[in-house]
PDB file of all heavy atoms in Angstrom:
ATOM      1  N   ASN A 108      -3.950   5.832   9.084  1.00  0.00           N
ATOM      2  CA  ASN A 108      -3.344   6.497   7.921  1.00  0.00           C
ATOM      3  C   ASN A 108      -1.928   6.958   8.229  1.00  0.00           C
ATOM      4  O   ASN A 108      -1.036   6.855   7.379  1.00  0.00           O
ATOM      5  CB  ASN A 108      -4.206   7.668   7.472  1.00  0.00           C
ATOM      6  CG  ASN A 108      -5.520   7.219   6.868  1.00  0.00           C
ATOM      7  OD1 ASN A 108      -5.652   6.089   6.408  1.00  0.00           O
ATOM      8  ND2 ASN A 108      -6.514   8.088   6.885  1.00  0.00           N
ATOM      9  N   PHE A 109      -1.717   7.477   9.440  1.00  0.00           N
ATOM     10  CA  PHE A 109      -0.399   7.942   9.872  1.00  0.00           C
ATOM     11  C   PHE A 109       0.620   6.801   9.829  1.00  0.00           C
ATOM     12  O   PHE A 109       1.699   6.936   9.243  1.00  0.00           O
ATOM     13  CB  PHE A 109      -0.528   8.530  11.294  1.00  0.00           C
ATOM     14  CG  PHE A 109       0.734   8.597  12.083  1.00  0.00           C
ATOM     15  CD1 PHE A 109       1.722   9.513  11.776  1.00  0.00           C
ATOM     16  CD2 PHE A 109       0.925   7.756  13.181  1.00  0.00           C
ATOM     17  CE1 PHE A 109       2.886   9.577  12.527  1.00  0.00           C
ATOM     18  CE2 PHE A 109       2.075   7.834  13.933  1.00  0.00           C
ATOM     19  CZ  PHE A 109       3.063   8.741  13.603  1.00  0.00           C
ATOM     20  N   VAL A 110       0.288   5.664  10.410  1.00  0.00           N
ATOM     21  CA  VAL A 110       1.216   4.536  10.457  1.00  0.00           C
ATOM     22  C   VAL A 110       1.496   4.003   9.058  1.00  0.00           C
ATOM     23  O   VAL A 110       2.656   3.846   8.662  1.00  0.00           O
ATOM     24  CB  VAL A 110       0.674   3.409  11.372  1.00  0.00           C
ATOM     25  CG1 VAL A 110       1.504   2.149  11.239  1.00  0.00           C
ATOM     26  CG2 VAL A 110       0.634   3.863  12.816  1.00  0.00           C
ATOM     27  N   ASN A 111       0.444   3.746   8.295  1.00  0.00           N
ATOM     28  CA  ASN A 111       0.630   3.123   6.985  1.00  0.00           C
ATOM     29  C   ASN A 111       1.279   4.050   5.965  1.00  0.00           C
ATOM     30  O   ASN A 111       2.080   3.602   5.147  1.00  0.00           O
ATOM     31  CB  ASN A 111      -0.700   2.583   6.469  1.00  0.00           C
ATOM     32  CG  ASN A 111      -1.203   1.426   7.323  1.00  0.00           C
ATOM     33  OD1 ASN A 111      -0.430   0.726   7.966  1.00  0.00           O
ATOM     34  ND2 ASN A 111      -2.504   1.242   7.342  1.00  0.00           N
ATOM     35  N   SER A 112       0.982   5.341   6.011  1.00  0.00           N
ATOM     36  CA  SER A 112       1.621   6.260   5.061  1.00  0.00           C
ATOM     37  C   SER A 112       3.099   6.447   5.390  1.00  0.00           C
ATOM     38  O   SER A 112       3.927   6.544   4.480  1.00  0.00           O
ATOM     39  CB  SER A 112       0.899   7.602   5.026  1.00  0.00           C
ATOM     40  OG  SER A 112       0.987   8.248   6.275  1.00  0.00           O
ATOM     41  N   ASN A 113       3.455   6.479   6.678  1.00  0.00           N
ATOM     42  CA  ASN A 113       4.873   6.585   7.039  1.00  0.00           C
ATOM     43  C   ASN A 113       5.630   5.314   6.673  1.00  0.00           C
ATOM     44  O   ASN A 113       6.792   5.374   6.299  1.00  0.00           O
ATOM     45  CB  ASN A 113       5.034   6.879   8.537  1.00  0.00           C
ATOM     46  CG  ASN A 113       4.799   8.335   8.860  1.00  0.00           C
ATOM     47  OD1 ASN A 113       5.048   9.212   8.045  1.00  0.00           O
ATOM     48  ND2 ASN A 113       4.298   8.605  10.039  1.00  0.00           N
ATOM     49  N   ARG A 114       4.971   4.184   6.760  1.00  0.00           N
ATOM     50  CA  ARG A 114       5.606   2.927   6.362  1.00  0.00           C
ATOM     51  C   ARG A 114       5.894   2.947   4.870  1.00  0.00           C
ATOM     52  O   ARG A 114       6.988   2.601   4.423  1.00  0.00           O
ATOM     53  CB  ARG A 114       4.692   1.752   6.699  1.00  0.00           C
ATOM     54  CG  ARG A 114       5.255   0.424   6.252  1.00  0.00           C
ATOM     55  CD  ARG A 114       4.316  -0.704   6.592  1.00  0.00           C
ATOM     56  NE  ARG A 114       4.990  -1.963   6.355  1.00  0.00           N
ATOM     57  CZ  ARG A 114       4.426  -2.976   5.754  1.00  0.00           C
ATOM     58  NH1 ARG A 114       3.191  -2.880   5.329  1.00  0.00           N
ATOM     59  NH2 ARG A 114       5.081  -4.088   5.570  1.00  0.00           N
ATOM     60  N   LYS A 115       4.907   3.354   4.070  1.00  0.00           N
ATOM     61  CA  LYS A 115       5.073   3.389   2.614  1.00  0.00           C
ATOM     62  C   LYS A 115       6.112   4.418   2.189  1.00  0.00           C
ATOM     63  O   LYS A 115       6.795   4.240   1.190  1.00  0.00           O
ATOM     64  CB  LYS A 115       3.736   3.684   1.938  1.00  0.00           C
ATOM     65  CG  LYS A 115       2.762   2.535   2.015  1.00  0.00           C
ATOM     66  CD  LYS A 115       1.429   2.906   1.408  1.00  0.00           C
ATOM     67  CE  LYS A 115       0.416   1.787   1.628  1.00  0.00           C
ATOM     68  NZ  LYS A 115      -0.936   2.190   1.266  1.00  0.00           N
ATOM     69  N   SER A 116       6.211   5.509   2.949  1.00  0.00           N
ATOM     70  CA  SER A 116       7.160   6.572   2.616  1.00  0.00           C
ATOM     71  C   SER A 116       8.575   6.238   3.053  1.00  0.00           C
ATOM     72  O   SER A 116       9.506   6.969   2.738  1.00  0.00           O
ATOM     73  CB  SER A 116       6.739   7.886   3.271  1.00  0.00           C
ATOM     74  OG  SER A 116       5.459   8.254   2.835  1.00  0.00           O
ATOM     75  N   GLY A 117       8.741   5.175   3.823  1.00  0.00           N
ATOM     76  CA  GLY A 117      10.069   4.769   4.272  1.00  0.00           C
ATOM     77  C   GLY A 117      10.608   5.570   5.441  1.00  0.00           C
ATOM     78  O   GLY A 117      11.815   5.662   5.625  1.00  0.00           O
ATOM     79  N   VAL A 118       9.728   6.162   6.243  1.00  0.00           N
ATOM     80  CA  VAL A 118      10.146   6.936   7.408  1.00  0.00           C
ATOM     81  C   VAL A 118      10.797   5.989   8.409  1.00  0.00           C
ATOM     82  O   VAL A 118      10.276   4.897   8.680  1.00  0.00           O
ATOM     83  CB  VAL A 118       8.943   7.676   8.049  1.00  0.00           C
ATOM     84  CG1 VAL A 118       9.344   8.383   9.319  1.00  0.00           C
ATOM     85  CG2 VAL A 118       8.348   8.644   7.053  1.00  0.00           C
ATOM     86  N   GLU A 119      11.923   6.410   8.951  1.00  0.00           N
ATOM     87  CA  GLU A 119      12.666   5.571   9.898  1.00  0.00           C
ATOM     88  C   GLU A 119      11.799   5.223  11.110  1.00  0.00           C
ATOM     89  O   GLU A 119      11.103   6.058  11.659  1.00  0.00           O
ATOM     90  CB  GLU A 119      13.928   6.312  10.366  1.00  0.00           C
ATOM     91  CG  GLU A 119      14.827   5.455  11.225  1.00  0.00           C
ATOM     92  CD  GLU A 119      16.075   6.188  11.658  1.00  0.00           C
ATOM     93  OE1 GLU A 119      16.521   7.099  10.924  1.00  0.00           O
ATOM     94  OE2 GLU A 119      16.595   5.854  12.726  1.00  0.00           O
TER      95      GLU A 119
END
Side-chain angles (χ1 to χ4, degrees):
N108 291 338
F109 159 72
V110 170
N111 293 334
S112 64
N113 281 330
R114 177 181 190 224
K115 289 177 186 170
S116 301
V118 175
E119 186 179 332

